[in-house]
């Protein structure tokens, strides 16, 4: 099978995008296809795969698959890339439109024009805080903020947020010493998170900036995570480290995202989306 693809990234968080408006793909091969395209040696190399598909409920639909073939429900960097792709390929006819995800519909706005999309803003919706809806096991509190969390003998504090997908946020004094590759994979699969979890480490810089590193569920260390950046700003506000209603610059390994947890409860994300390769993937 010869599959046309576009490789895009948001701040280095890269996905292989397949436009299934033009090229329908059988459901049963999706997990294997995601693993195959993501493989850097025998495939293209990416953090996963995203399908851009027709839908009745929004202007365009998106499905995200992690590097290990598991399906996520939301992807902030992917949303900005899908918005750029849909606008540039005229799947939509205005700069503001809606995108369906498995976590619900969001709206996106293009900054730029057909020649150059500079940035995309996405209304990421209202974060979910209730413990059972993260989901996280334990007493069903309305929010889990700075809760003691013992892992491999380390006594940490966790704040959990769902942006349609689950995030466990930990504050550290020095981002360069965050236990990303040691505790990241352990926390990802911790039994307290029945659907596994994306793991973020945050260092507060001042009242407008944070440093951010992520171990993503199903993909491991990535250069950036849009939903994780949103979750981290929400977690910082809940811990009294940042103010609601202010735009926060999140410094990720791959660049900056601008996130606001607005007074009305909605989270806004603004940042770049870029195209790197177009081609054909050969699959047996
Ligand atoms: N990189 C993404 C999130 C992708 C999905 C995630 N790994 C999950 O399984 O929930 C982003 O930019 O938000």
């Amino acid at each position: 099978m010869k599959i046309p693809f576009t490789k895009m990234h948001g701040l280095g968080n890269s996905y292989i995008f397949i436009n299934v408006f033009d090229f329908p793909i059988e459901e049963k091969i999706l997990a294997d296809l995601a693993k195959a395209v993501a493989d850097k040696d025998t495939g293209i190399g990416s953090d996963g795969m995203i399908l851009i598909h027709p839908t009745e409920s929004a202007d365009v639909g998106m499905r995200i698959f992690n590097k290990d073939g598991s399906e996520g429900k939301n992807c902030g960097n992917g949303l900005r890339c899908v918005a750029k792709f849909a606008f540039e390929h005229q799947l939509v006819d205005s700069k503001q439109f809606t995108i369906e995800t498995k976590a619900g519909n969001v709206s996106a706005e293009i900054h730029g024009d057909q020649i150059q999309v500079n940035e995309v803003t996405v209304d990421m919706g209202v974060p979910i805080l209730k413990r059972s809806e993260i989901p996280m096991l334990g007493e069903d509190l309305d929010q889990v903020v700075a809760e003691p969390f013992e892992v491999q003998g380390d006594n940490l504090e966790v704040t959990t947020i769902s942006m349609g997908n689950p995030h466990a946020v930990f504050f550290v004094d020095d981002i360069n010493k965050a236990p990303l590759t040691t505790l990241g994979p352990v926390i990802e699969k911790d039994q307290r998170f029945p659907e596994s979890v994306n793991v973020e480490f945050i260092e507060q810089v001042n009242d407008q900036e944070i440093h951010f590193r992520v171990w993503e569920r199903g993909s491991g260390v990535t250069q950036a995570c849009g939903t994780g950046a949103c979750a981290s700003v929400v977690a910082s506000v809940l811990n009294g480290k940042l103010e609601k209603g202010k735009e926060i610059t999140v410094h990720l390994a791959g660049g900056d995202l601008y996130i606001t947890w607005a007074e009305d409860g909605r989270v806004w994300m603004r940042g770049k989306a870029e195209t790197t390769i177009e081609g054909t993937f050969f699959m047996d």
Side-chain angles (χ1 to χ4, degrees):
M1 191 174 14
K2 294 181 181 178
I3 304 171
F5 75 87
T6 302
K7 182 173 179 178
M8 303 179 80
H9 72 95
L11 310 172
N13 183 204
S14 64
Y15 292 93
I16 305 307
F17 291 78
I18 299 175
N19 176 1
V20 291
F21 277 84
D22 292 345
F23 195 90
I25 301 180
E26 267 185 294
E27 184 70 31
K28 66 177 186 210
I29 71 159
L30 291 176
D32 285 341
L33 179 60
K35 285 193 268 186
V37 296
D39 191 300
K40 74 173 174 49
D41 298 315
T42 56
I44 305 160
S46 69
D47 296 320
M49 175 181 85
I50 290 180
L51 303 182
I52 302 172
H53 64 85
T55 173
E56 305 256 295
S57 84
D59 294 310
V60 61
M62 165 182 119
R63 285 177 71 185
I64 153 84
F65 294 83
N66 293 310
K67 204 174 192 163
D68 67 358
S70 62
E71 185 166 9
K73 287 189 177 158
N74 202 1
C75 177
N77 291 319
L79 280 166
R80 297 196 314 284
C81 293
V82 168
K84 175 179 162 77
F85 185 100
F87 183 68
E88 289 180 346
H89 290 76
Q90 291 160 6
L91 302 178
V92 295
D93 54 15
S94 82
K95 286 187 177 177
Q96 279 186 306
F97 50 92
T98 53
I99 304 176
E100 179 193 274
T101 74
K102 287 233 160 163
N105 290 5
V106 303
S107 61
E109 181 180 359
I110 298 288
H111 306 291
D113 53 33
Q114 286 289 348
I115 316 264
Q116 176 149 18
V117 171
N118 300 318
E119 283 188 328
V120 179
T121 296
V122 183
D123 172 358
M124 298 292 286
V126 177
I128 295 161
L129 305 180
K130 202 171 162 52
R131 186 188 202 110
S132 56
E133 292 175 23
I134 298 298
M136 182 181 185
L137 301 182
E139 189 194 346
D140 195 9
L141 306 171
D142 285 343
Q143 50 186 45
V144 177
V145 178
E147 181 172 294
F149 190 90
E150 196 273 330
V151 55
Q152 290 198 334
D154 281 335
N155 293 310
L156 309 178
E157 287 184 348
V158 69
T159 299
T160 57
I161 314 288
S162 169
M163 293 301 306
N165 58 350
H167 296 271
V169 180
F170 300 87
F171 294 94
V172 294
D173 294 333
D174 180 351
I175 200 69
N176 296 313
K177 295 187 182 148
L180 195 56
T181 53
T182 47
L183 295 189
V186 179
I187 298 168
E188 177 197 1
K189 302 281 184 205
D190 190 288
Q191 57 177 13
R192 284 164 278 193
F193 298 105
E195 294 180 9
S196 302
V197 74
N198 297 288
V199 185
E200 281 90 20
F201 295 97
I202 305 301
E203 176 194 334
Q204 186 177 9
V205 180
N206 55 40
D207 63 356
Q208 292 164 32
E209 294 167 88
I210 56 175
H211 287 303
F212 170 103
R213 294 292 180 274
V214 63
W215 176 276
E216 278 195 40
R217 174 175 73 167
S219 294
V221 174
T222 64
Q223 294 293 296
C225 178
T227 50
C230 295
S232 297
V233 168
V234 171
S236 301
V237 171
L238 292 174
N239 279 275
K241 294 173 185 288
L242 293 174
E243 270 176 50
K244 214 172 179 180
K246 265 196 181 173
E247 184 178 85
I248 305 301
T249 303
V250 182
H251 302 296
L252 306 101
D256 293 345
L257 276 177
Y258 306 96
I259 309 288
T260 307
W261 190 15
E263 295 291 353
D264 67 1
R266 306 189 78 78
V267 180
W268 294 83
M269 170 190 63
R270 178 168 62 84
K272 288 186 185 166
E274 293 174 72
T275 306
T276 49
I277 309 171
E278 279 182 351
T280 306
F281 183 71
F282 295 74
M283 192 173 175
D284 294 338

